[in-house]
Amino acid sequence: MALEQTSSLSMKAGAAPGPTDPYREVLMEAVTRAGHYLRGIRERHVGVTQEALDGLPLLGGPLPMTGEDPRSVLKLLDEIGSPATLASTGGRFFGGVVGGALPVTVAAHWLADAWDQNACLFDLSPVSAYLEDVVLGWLLNLFGLPSGCGGAFVTGTQMADVTALAAARHAVLRKAQWNVETEGLFGAPPVTVMVGEEVHATMLKALALLGLGRGRVLVVPADSQGRMKPAEIRQVTGPVIVCAQMGNVNTGACDPVGEICDVAHNMGAWVHVDGAFGLWAATAPARRHLVDGVARADSWATDAHKWLNVPQDSGIAIVREPEALRHAMSITAAYYPDPDNKREPMQWGPDSSRRARAVEIWAALRSLGADGVADLIERTCNHAARFATQLRAAGYEILNDVVLNQVLVSFGDEEKTKRIINAIQAEGTCWCGGTVWKGRKAMRISVSSWATTEADVARSLDAMLRIAATESRR
Ligand SMILES: *Cc1c(COP(=O)(O)O)cnc(C)c1O
């Protein structure tokens, strides 16, 4: 009954399709062009050609004095813009931990764009605020984290680190009788921050943004796979934050977070986990052991745009003690509603006005289910293992233990490995980036996309081995 009422209401209120509908033509144009782009993505060059780059100035020039028909604006954007994209949402992009976008998440994103909700307050977007609570609950369940945690939806893991570490900063200084939100860090008791030797660069930027300093961290040595050595954590007094990492961006290795929690909690420290992609190992039964003990940390940062395959940008901050996050993010003004009885997103995260980011996460989780998420993680890890096996069989050296979705391969000396990476990128069947691991140049293969099939792996291996053989003969 209620549903029927709503739909007849919206029928009456909605504009009839036709020439007076300002959306119809331009949206149909977008659907057609996006469909064409996505259908072609499996056959196109995975990288960007020089010709595509040379076309970009056609989008520039001085701002036109007179306007232009929306459809021709879209046409120009597609014809010039689409070729200048990396085919990272296809099945053979393995550069960086990027991830594609599940079809349902692209569609949900479009719908949410049509809603154009300002997600900062419940009253401005009840559906968005509600979905944030739903998604947070589902994620806590998937990751095996305590059900009472607070959370925020931000742009990426870096901002999730900033958000969660702001809660950490609040909590460790509150214990030292210091209110950092009111007083700032001027004259505050010093906070000791520890990171592993293989900390991600974005974590250091997060620390710098929070006034915790990227240069004054204590660096804890790591093992051959880049895992922090818990025995090397120094015992210090006063406010302490220890940052662990799930998923080293080169090797995929996860710090032994359970042991880190034991040592760190013993000195009253707050343990924060950068789990950009590695935290997702918790969702797959065969990989869960890699993050054993992760639920004992105090805060977590991760994102949905990498391994869950939702569109950019989508980060998630999670904090065990909701009050610490609330205090760090609180904002008051006469025109903001009382935040006590329902979720007011701006009271949990750093942003005010923002998009309804939980929508696509909800769509991904609802369409995959817990089993589908586990399968996505497991499948991509298995693809990575196959890359490693076949490259090793062909005589190339794999520099890491392939435990997750990351493979580091050396084709020989630095110069040769570089040359082969460049040739693979130029050939365009697949795309992999370069890195340096323990002083050695390597090609990094990250398998993070839902779209990668067995056939994509086979085709990419073919190209890699063929190019490597040719380049080796030169
Ligand atoms: C990707 C990544 C980040 C940064 O995430 P963004 O979403 O790009 O902000 C942080 N830490 C690790 C380990 C990562 O892999």
Side-chain angles (χ1 to χ4, degrees):
M1 178 62 191
L3 259 180
E4 275 167 33
Q5 264 176 5
T6 323
S7 60
S8 65
L9 239 182
S10 54
M11 286 290 281
K12 262 178 245 159
T20 57
D21 176 355
Y23 294 103
R24 189 183 157 80
E25 291 206 331
V26 73
L27 290 185
M28 290 309 289
E29 186 80 27
V31 168
T32 305
R33 290 185 177 277
H36 185 257
Y37 177 82
L38 291 169
R39 274 190 306 278
I41 202 142
R42 293 192 156 277
E43 296 315 317
R44 59 161 273 194
H45 194 293
V46 178
V48 181
T49 61
Q50 191 57 47
E51 189 191 350
L53 292 176
D54 291 344
L56 285 174
L58 290 170
L59 299 176
L63 173 67
M65 282 305 288
T66 52
E68 194 174 330
D69 170 56
R71 278 176 71 192
S72 77
V73 171
L74 219 57
K75 178 169 186 284
L76 184 66
L77 186 61
D78 183 31
E79 288 176 356
I80 305 302
S82 292
T85 59
L86 269 110
S88 51
T89 203
R92 293 189 306 280
F93 181 83
F94 309 112
V97 194
V98 171
L102 290 156
V104 70
T105 65
V106 177
H109 194 167
W110 286 359
L111 185 57
D113 270 350
W115 296 345
D116 186 28
Q117 298 289 280
N118 185 336
C120 72
L121 292 169
F122 186 98
D123 287 346
L124 281 180
S125 185
V127 63
S128 174
Y130 188 79
L131 286 181
E132 289 193 1
D133 270 339
V134 171
V135 163
L136 185 60
W138 287 356
L139 289 173
L140 295 177
N141 191 267
L142 272 179
F143 295 144
L145 302 181
S147 60
C149 291
F153 294 84
V154 295
T155 46
T157 294
Q158 179 177 289
M159 270 314 288
D161 282 327
V162 170
T163 305
L165 287 168
R169 187 180 68 167
H170 169 88
V172 298
L173 284 172
R174 181 190 52 199
K175 258 205 306 197
Q177 268 81 53
W178 188 267
N179 183 334
V180 70
E181 284 74 34
T182 309
E183 307 298 331
L185 284 171
F186 308 98
V191 179
T192 306
V193 180
M194 300 188 195
V195 300
E197 194 184 337
E198 288 294 335
V199 64
H200 199 269
T202 54
M203 172 64 81
L204 297 176
K205 180 162 171 182
L207 291 168
L209 287 172
L210 288 164
L212 295 171
R214 61 173 98 217
R216 59 185 291 290
V217 292
L218 294 185
V219 178
V220 184
D223 68 12
S224 64
Q225 297 302 310
R227 290 174 295 226
M228 184 194 288
K229 293 179 177 167
E232 304 268 355
I233 295 175
R234 292 231 307 267
Q235 290 290 320
V236 297
T237 52
V240 184
I241 300 170
V242 177
C243 302
Q245 176 172 263
M246 302 297 100
N248 176 287
V249 80
N250 280 309
T251 64
C254 301
D255 289 350
V257 64
E259 285 171 66
I260 291 170
C261 286
D262 289 341
V263 179
H265 285 158
N266 198 30
M267 62 174 145
W270 175 291
V271 177
H272 170 68
V273 171
D274 170 1
F277 63 100
L279 187 56
W280 293 87
T283 68
R287 310 280 159 179
R288 199 168 287 155
H289 65 277
L290 295 169
V291 298
D292 250 0
V294 75
R296 278 155 52 210
D298 302 285
S299 60
W300 304 262
T302 188
D303 61 69
H305 54 215
K306 286 180 177 170
W307 226 348
L308 186 62
N309 281 256
V310 311
Q312 319 288 328
D313 47 29
S314 190
I316 305 139
I318 301 171
V319 178
R320 171 186 298 277
E321 186 197 324
E323 280 312 299
L325 182 58
R326 272 284 291 112
H327 278 288
M329 297 296 153
S330 91
I331 176 168
T332 47
Y335 39 86
Y336 294 145
D338 170 12
D340 288 341
N341 39 33
K342 47 188 173 351
R343 182 178 179 87
E344 298 297 356
M346 72 190 304
Q347 303 285 352
W348 293 97
D351 297 303
S352 176
S353 300
R354 63 173 175 84
R355 71 187 191 88
R357 214 169 258 130
V359 169
E360 306 103 47
I361 309 178
W362 177 86
L365 294 176
R366 178 99 189 196
S367 80
L368 290 171
D371 285 348
V373 175
D375 178 62
L376 169 63
I377 301 308
E378 193 56 34
R379 201 169 72 228
T380 39
C381 288
N382 288 336
H383 290 326
R386 185 160 161 220
F387 271 117
T389 306
Q390 307 252 335
L391 287 162
R392 198 183 277 122
Y396 301 112
E397 192 183 352
I398 304 300
L399 303 185
N400 64 318
D401 295 344
V402 181
V403 291
L404 219 58
N405 59 337
Q406 305 292 106
V407 182
L408 299 177
V409 53
S410 160
F411 293 104
D413 62 26
E414 169 162 354
E415 200 277 320
K416 188 161 136 192
T417 298
K418 257 192 200 158
R419 204 169 68 228
I420 292 174
I421 296 170
N422 289 341
I424 288 171
Q425 291 179 356
E427 192 265 353
T429 299
C430 61
W431 205 100
C432 302
T435 187
V436 175
W437 180 245
K438 302 282 179 195
R440 296 188 59 190
K441 183 76 192 171
M443 182 172 87
R444 181 164 66 125
I445 307 170
S446 288
V447 191
S448 317
S449 175
W450 71 278
T452 302
T453 62
E454 296 269 343
D456 286 317
V457 176
R459 196 166 152 187
S460 302
L461 273 164
D462 264 5
M464 287 174 190
L465 294 175
R466 178 170 33 81
I467 293 162
T470 311
E471 290 294 322
S472 297
R473 279 195 297 271
R474 285 173 42 160

